[in-house]
Amino acid sequence: MCEGFHVESSDRRVGVVNAVRYMPGARSDAPSWLVVRVGASDMLLIVPVAEVASVFLAERRIVLRSPAATEAGERVSAAERSPSAEDAEMSARLVAAALARVASGWCQGAVAEDEERRAVRPWSPEARRWSMLGALLASWDGGPVEDLGDAVGALHTATDESSLEAWNNSPERTKQEVVAAFERVIELLERGEAGTALPGEERFRHWLAACAGFQVHADRGRLGMVEEVRLSGGSEPEALAVRAGFLGRRLLVVPVDEVERIVPRRKRVVLRPATA
């Protein structure tokens, strides 16, 4: 077993093996993929074992072929960073290209299939159908890992933070749902709101409790900044204390029910539109 082994390409360190995965029916001594944690982040890349060039057991080190190719990214670091407009544009173009692929042909149970529904690599000239992950990888085409990571991270919003592979392959999943997920993510990327947390999601509760310091926006514009999150007797977020007005002289108490969405990457809380 190679869990914990360092993974490198010919020109850089990629990460550390988190787990190994197998194709259905594969022998225990014949893994199909390595799940590699990238750096200190929470991004996991799925690397086909065919991309392994050498294994150095004594050094607990694996060297990949160059350039290192991955089947898919599964999770992205939750660490906050403010992406530039260029980053968002690059991610939106990548997701739009992936959308075009799944719209022309979508598959389950493989990252890509040819005309005869045989499994192929997503970048193969014979590929005619793609999973959500396969479409992303084919569109990424070996560019910067950060571009792939940003696109995968944005798509986690549309899949309730599930593994993209598991979400795509769910028996009840439809092509229309996959297309709609891509379209929603493109809209969020273009608005700079990728990663938006919505009420009812587990991640919304997390960010609601951790939004001190976030800017608060209402339908009339910026309202102020969250000074503290006030908790109920059951230790659940109950209201946001928002410092507002000129020089922050007013303190507003906003019930959490009035929060429409939270955009962690922009450190923004958006309130529901006021009703007449």
Side-chain angles (χ1 to χ4, degrees), residues 176-210:
Q176 289 73 22
E177 289 175 323
V178 173
V179 168
F182 275 108
E183 290 175 340
R184 171 63 175 160
V185 166
I186 292 170
E187 177 187 351
L188 291 173
L189 285 168
E190 290 176 344
R191 285 165 41 191
E193 295 190 358
T196 296
L198 301 174
E201 298 176 349
E202 181 64 34
R203 63 196 307 272
F204 178 83
R205 291 190 287 273
H206 165 78
W207 285 111
L208 191 61

Side-chain angles (χ1 to χ4, degrees), residues 95-133:
V95 175
L99 167 59
R101 282 187 161 87
V102 297
S104 67
W106 174 65
C107 67
Q108 293 180 294
V111 290
E113 295 176 340
D114 64 12
E115 196 64 49
E116 303 300 321
R117 293 195 174 275
R118 293 172 298 202
V120 295
R121 293 190 175 183
W123 52 81
S124 168
E126 284 74 42
R128 294 294 181 271
R129 301 176 185 86
W130 295 265
S131 68
M132 178 178 279
L133 290 170

Side-chain angles (χ1 to χ4, degrees), residues 35 40 46 50 53 65-66 71 75 88 102 116 149-151 189 207 236:
V35 181
I46 301 177
R65 305 182 191 280
S66 182
E71 292 287 358
R75 289 195 62 83
V102 297
E116 303 300 321
D150 285 346
L189 285 168
W207 285 111
E236 290 293 325

Side-chain angles (χ1 to χ4, degrees), residues 40-210:
S41 74
D42 288 332
M43 178 189 287
L44 300 180
L45 297 180
I46 301 177
V47 181
V49 295
E51 298 300 332
V52 174
S54 304
V55 179
F56 300 92
L57 295 176
E59 301 174 27
R60 295 177 58 82
R61 184 164 62 96
I62 294 172
V63 178
L64 305 179
R65 305 182 191 280
S66 182
T70 61
E71 292 287 358
E74 285 203 339
R75 289 195 62 83
V76 175
S77 171
E80 288 295 305
R81 72 178 181 90
S82 298
S84 66
E86 183 179 356
D87 290 337
E89 184 180 350
M90 288 290 291
S91 296
R93 286 204 298 265
L94 172 55
V95 175
L99 167 59
R101 282 187 161 87
V102 297
S104 67
W106 174 65
C107 67
Q108 293 180 294
V111 290
E113 295 176 340
D114 64 12
E115 196 64 49
E116 303 300 321
R117 293 195 174 275
R118 293 172 298 202
V120 295
R121 293 190 175 183
W123 52 81
S124 168
E126 284 74 42
R128 294 294 181 271
R129 301 176 185 86
W130 295 265
S131 68
M132 178 178 279
L133 290 170
L136 279 174
L137 185 62
S139 303
W140 174 57
D141 196 28
V145 170
E146 291 77 11
D147 290 348
L148 178 63
D150 285 346
V152 172
L155 279 165
H156 275 294
T157 301
T159 62
D160 298 325
E161 297 298 295
S162 301
S163 159
L164 298 189
E165 185 180 29
W167 192 86
N168 181 90
N169 293 336
S170 176
E172 68 272 13
R173 190 69 55 223
T174 66
K175 178 179 177 179
Q176 289 73 22
E177 289 175 323
V178 173
V179 168
F182 275 108
E183 290 175 340
R184 171 63 175 160
V185 166
I186 292 170
E187 177 187 351
L188 291 173
L189 285 168
E190 290 176 344
R191 285 165 41 191
E193 295 190 358
T196 296
L198 301 174
E201 298 176 349
E202 181 64 34
R203 63 196 307 272
F204 178 83
R205 291 190 287 273
H206 165 78
W207 285 111
L208 191 61

